[in-house]
Amino acid sequence: MGHNHHGYAHEHGHGHAHGSGNERAVFWGFLLTFGFMIAEVAGGLISGSLALIADAGHMLTDAAALGLAWLGFRIARRAPDDRRSFGYARFEVLVGLVNAVTLLIVVAWIAYEAVQRLQEPQPVLAGPMFVVAVLGLLVNIGVFMMLLRADREHINIRGAILHVAGDLLGSVAAIIAAGVIFATGWTPIDPILSLLVGVLILRSAWSLLCHSLHILLEGAPDNVDVEELRRDLVATASGVIDVHHVHVWSLSSGKSLATLHVQVAPGADSHAALRDTKARLADRFGIAHATVQVETAEHCPDAPENRHWHGTRHKPNCSASDAHC
């Protein structure tokens, strides 16, 4: 069997180039977003605006996304140990699952409150509501620009940018509601727009829930099609004529792993096949951590043309010491 070097050097090099800037961006973005979220809840309670409280709920999704990204960078520094050979990277997925469930509860509460206020309109102070909403918009713009300066190819940074962009819409909705109430006194616009913001939160929360469950269930990464991977390796890796027993999964967001068997043609260079396979997995599919078993037809019963040997008395032997397996 050919064992890889787990791709730690590759990942460390990439992290050294961008990690510190990414971590600073998400840390300050988290502080600004979480801090203003608390201020927005207070403003919503003082002004009586459900739209502000709903927007604060959306800012909670932003803070959660930024906090998860920051936590991922921090935990990634912890070395694997004997009990956790893959380290602590999956902790961020568990946190994401908890956040998703919490956000679904927040959406249910917003919907309930909105229906109650549509049935029994409540007074809303348009002035304080407008001021808080404008300040929220400015904070979101600041965080958005900060994240744009980070490594936008990183999956956690991309997710955070999408969250903040959605929250910009929530702030705009609160500003519109304040303007309508100030101009016309029509307070139902507040719960109506809060429902629209709730839909934005629901979309983000549902996406986070599905993504977290997919990783925990060892689902294949979105950017990897197993059949395409097989065809690609046969077409590009030196001497490879078949790929089977393929398993691809995510350890956490952006960290893909794989195990697979590759069959090489008789007389082909097994070491070259192993080297090409690992390089292609990393470059084409973003899988830096792969365990590859190299087989030849005359040695290994797992090869497709030798599978009739399974269940018989006389099986070809596959020796790990002959550099073919």
Side-chain angles (χ1 to χ4, degrees), residues 252-314:
S252 63
S253 294
K255 286 192 174 183
S256 301
L257 298 83
T259 63
L260 61 151
H261 294 200
V262 297
Q263 178 195 347
V264 297
D269 186 341
S270 297
H271 295 290
L274 180 62
R275 182 189 64 242
D276 290 354
T277 297
K278 290 180 181 177
R280 188 62 177 174
L281 288 172
D283 296 339
R284 171 66 178 81
F285 297 98
I287 304 173
H289 184 135
T291 301
V292 182
Q293 178 165 316
V294 181
E295 304 169 346
T296 57
E298 66 267 26
H299 286 85
C300 296
D302 280 336
E305 62 268 35
N306 289 332
R307 287 174 189 167
H308 66 275
W309 289 97
H310 286 283
T312 66
R313 281 185 156 187
H314 306 290

Side-chain angles (χ1 to χ4, degrees), residues 29-41 51-69 95-96 98-110 136 139-140 159-160 163-164 166-168 170-171 197 200-202 204-205 208:
F30 169 75
L31 286 183
L32 287 170
T33 303
F34 187 78
F36 194 80
M37 178 198 72
I38 296 175
E40 198 164 33
V41 169
L52 277 184
I53 297 176
D55 190 48
H58 199 186
M59 291 192 82
L60 178 62
T61 70
D62 300 342
L66 292 165
L68 281 174
V95 175
V98 172
N99 276 329
V101 173
T102 303
L103 292 170
L104 291 175
I105 295 173
V106 169
V107 170
W109 177 82
I110 290 173
V139 169
N140 285 320
H163 273 276
V164 175
D167 197 48
L168 286 170
S171 296
V197 174
L200 294 178
I201 302 174
L202 179 62
S204 299
L208 181 59

Side-chain angles (χ1 to χ4, degrees), residues 12-55:
H12 177 74
H14 180 75
H16 181 74
H18 298 287
S20 59
N22 289 340
E23 187 172 337
R24 281 195 302 271
V26 298
F27 177 72
W28 286 107
F30 169 75
L31 286 183
L32 287 170
T33 303
F34 187 78
F36 194 80
M37 178 198 72
I38 296 175
E40 198 164 33
V41 169
L45 293 174
I46 292 171
S47 66
S49 170
L50 184 60
L52 277 184
I53 297 176
D55 190 48

Side-chain angles (χ1 to χ4, degrees), residues 130-197:
F130 181 81
V131 171
V132 174
V134 169
L135 291 175
L137 179 63
L138 294 176
V139 169
N140 285 320
I141 291 174
V143 174
F144 187 76
M145 297 303 294
M146 192 182 304
L147 291 173
L148 287 180
R149 289 201 236 14
D151 176 19
R152 283 177 282 175
E153 295 303 313
H154 193 286
I155 188 168
N156 285 337
I157 298 294
R158 290 205 309 268
I161 288 174
L162 291 175
H163 273 276
V164 175
D167 197 48
L168 286 170
L169 298 178
S171 296
V172 171
I175 291 172
I176 292 172
V180 170
I181 293 171
F182 182 80
T184 68
W186 191 58
T187 57
I189 187 66
D190 179 62
I192 290 172
L193 290 181
S194 72
L195 281 173
L196 294 179
V197 174

Side-chain angles (χ1 to χ4, degrees), residues 11-12 15-16 18-24 26-27 69-81 86-89 92 255:
E11 291 174 354
H12 177 74
H16 181 74
H18 298 287
S20 59
N22 289 340
E23 187 172 337
R24 281 195 302 271
V26 298
F27 177 72
W70 180 78
L71 189 63
F73 291 128
R74 300 290 294 182
I75 291 180
R77 298 178 183 175
R78 300 184 64 176
D81 53 40
F86 281 113
Y88 296 81
E92 74 172 47
K255 286 192 174 183

